[in-house]
Amino acid sequence: MSDFLQLHLLTAYGPSNLNRDDTGRPKSVVFGGVPRIRVSSQSLKRAWRQSAVFKEQLDGHLAARTRRLGADVLERLRAGGMDEDRSLEVAREIAGVFGKLTSEKEDTQASIQQLAFISPEEKARALELADRALAGEEIEPTPDGLLQRADSAADVAMFGRMFAEDPKFNREAAVQVAHAITTHRAIAEDDYYTAVDDLKSRDEPDDAGAGFVGVQEFGAGLFYLYVCVDRGLLLNNLGGDRAVRDASLAALVEAATTVSPRGKQASFASRACATYVLAEKGTAQPRSLVAAFLRPVGSTDQGRHSIEALERFRKRLDDAYGVRADSRCTMDVEAESGTLSDVISFAVS
């Protein structure tokens, strides 16, 4: 039976553009018949994976999403004294296990065409195979010899991966992350700005205006985010290593509550911590509480009223379907109730 951890977070951002669409505007969605500002799950997960929280707490247990494994192998072979043609041949043989290779006519001849999520153990196996080739052994790179179905790569275990060429080495994501949306009506706005040439004299008769005129888009709001973790699957993906599983859960909770996407940070300094967290554990079917905001929060006290709407809807679901969690833990900054440490301890225990 699956053992689920669910996180419901409310995080307030002032003027910001955390996650842009193809026109440069903050991503959006219509929910409950009104426009909301949105931050995609892909943006959130990348920010968490690349954060100092993950790097410090999961040091040695993080994979790399890359096309360049073959380049690392090629460098290893060249450094070991293998001739150029043979080095390239061996590097392509090894890299080809991780995905379809680029054309031999391209400059990146040892690269694969698509990004692959490669664990530390898999990279070590690839480099070990290169060392055996340097020692004069005949090598035959195979998926079974290089790829793994479970290892200590915490981010692969959490967010999964797909190998189109060899699906049996796919990893099902143990962590599901929803797109974050504002609990209230929110629209993107335009910021008209100018830049002036610092060395231009006031006495110059020509070019009296600004040196540059531009527009950048932004929005603001209180965002609801839902995260669901299958703790049993996470443990299986990590080969049963409970210490790494616990470190993964701790890092995930801390990153989700404290790490912001990097979009336009230099312009807006839009860094924020969650002001409210509801964590739930249990074996019942998970469910998001986003429907609490189908009717957008419309008051000026959006923080408190968003919390009340979320808790009220959660209780109504419990009344209708039965209690959906075996235990709960909350952190409410405004009410001075609970701490991040409490939530992390709850998630790990």
Side-chain angles (χ1 to χ4, degrees):
M1 184 176 291
S2 295
D3 169 23
F4 297 104
L5 168 70
Q6 298 179 82
L7 301 173
H8 309 271
L9 297 89
L10 294 173
T11 307
Y13 286 99
S16 57
N17 192 345
L18 299 168
N19 188 207
R20 298 178 293 242
D21 64 18
D22 57 346
T23 69
R25 300 180 71 79
K27 288 187 175 180
S28 62
V29 66
V30 174
F31 184 70
V34 301
R36 318 290 182 108
I37 294 176
R38 172 176 63 92
V39 178
S40 72
S41 58
Q42 182 183 24
S43 172
L44 291 165
K45 287 185 286 188
R46 176 163 175 78
W48 302 342
R49 284 199 311 108
Q50 296 294 310
S51 69
V53 173
F54 265 47
K55 290 177 182 177
E56 290 170 5
Q57 296 195 29
L58 297 171
D59 184 38
H61 300 288
L62 293 175
R65 179 174 279 133
T66 182
R67 298 174 57 234
R68 296 177 172 82
L69 176 68
D72 291 340
V73 173
L74 183 60
E75 183 179 348
R76 180 78 151 239
L77 295 169
R78 286 170 172 169
M82 185 176 287
D83 70 78
E84 185 65 27
D85 289 344
R86 179 57 181 159
S87 294
L88 183 57
E89 180 184 353
V90 173
R92 285 179 62 84
E93 288 177 1
I94 294 174
V97 172
F98 294 88
K100 187 177 294 185
L101 296 168
T102 57
S103 168
E104 293 189 54
K105 297 180 180 178
E106 298 183 31
D107 293 336
T108 54
Q109 296 177 34
S111 296
I112 55 180
Q113 293 181 8
Q114 296 175 323
L115 293 170
F117 224 169
I118 301 170
S119 73
E121 289 89 343
E122 288 168 338
K123 182 176 180 179
R125 287 185 176 190
L127 294 177
E128 180 185 349
L129 206 56
D131 290 340
R132 288 171 52 193
L134 282 170
E137 294 184 37
E138 288 293 328
I139 63 168
E140 186 177 349
T142 64
D144 288 325
L146 289 174
L147 302 180
Q148 294 186 277
R149 296 175 181 172
D151 53 41
S152 71
D155 44 357
V156 176
M158 283 190 275
F159 305 126
R161 74 174 180 190
M162 184 183 74
F163 273 121
E165 300 298 317
D166 208 328
K168 71 180 180 180
F169 293 101
N170 289 351
R171 203 81 57 87
E172 182 181 354
V175 177
Q176 301 167 347
V177 182
H179 292 228
I181 67 169
T182 54
T183 65
H184 50 85
R185 184 179 188 274
I187 59 174
E189 302 179 58
D190 296 324
D191 178 29
Y192 172 84
Y193 66 94
T194 64
V196 179
D197 189 327
D198 291 342
L199 300 182
K200 185 175 69 176
S201 170
R202 291 177 177 270
D203 300 327
E204 293 182 41
D206 300 325
D207 193 21
F212 179 80
V213 175
V215 175
Q216 66 178 359
E217 295 77 11
F218 68 94
L222 178 67
F223 291 79
Y224 168 73
L225 171 63
Y226 172 66
V227 179
C228 178
V229 185
D230 185 330
R231 300 200 313 165
L233 178 58
L234 179 60
L235 185 62
N236 288 339
N237 284 349
L238 291 167
D241 192 325
R242 189 170 293 272
V244 178
R245 189 211 68 166
D246 291 350
S248 301
L249 290 169
L252 177 67
V253 171
E254 183 174 350
T257 53
T258 64
V259 175
S260 305
R262 299 180 182 178
K264 290 285 186 176
Q265 285 290 358
S267 299
F268 295 104
S270 48
R271 299 183 182 276
C273 294
T275 54
Y276 175 87
V277 180
L278 167 62
E280 302 178 298
K281 287 191 304 188
T283 57
Q285 176 67 32
R287 78 283 180 264
S288 167
L289 298 178
V290 70
F293 308 111
L294 270 170
R295 177 182 297 171
V297 175
S299 71
T300 54
D301 191 1
Q302 291 174 338
R304 177 49 46 193
H305 287 178
S306 292
I307 293 172
E308 291 173 355
L310 189 149
E311 292 183 338
R312 184 167 56 247
F313 182 70
R314 189 268 304 161
K315 182 179 183 305
R316 287 175 177 172
L317 279 180
D318 279 355
D319 290 344
Y321 288 94
V323 177
R324 308 303 290 171
D326 298 334
S327 55
R328 294 187 169 102
C329 176
T330 59
M331 180 185 75
D332 186 338
V333 173
E334 184 181 348
E336 300 183 20
S337 171
T339 67
L340 175 60
S341 295
D342 293 337
V343 179
I344 290 174
S345 295
F346 174 81
V348 170
S349 64

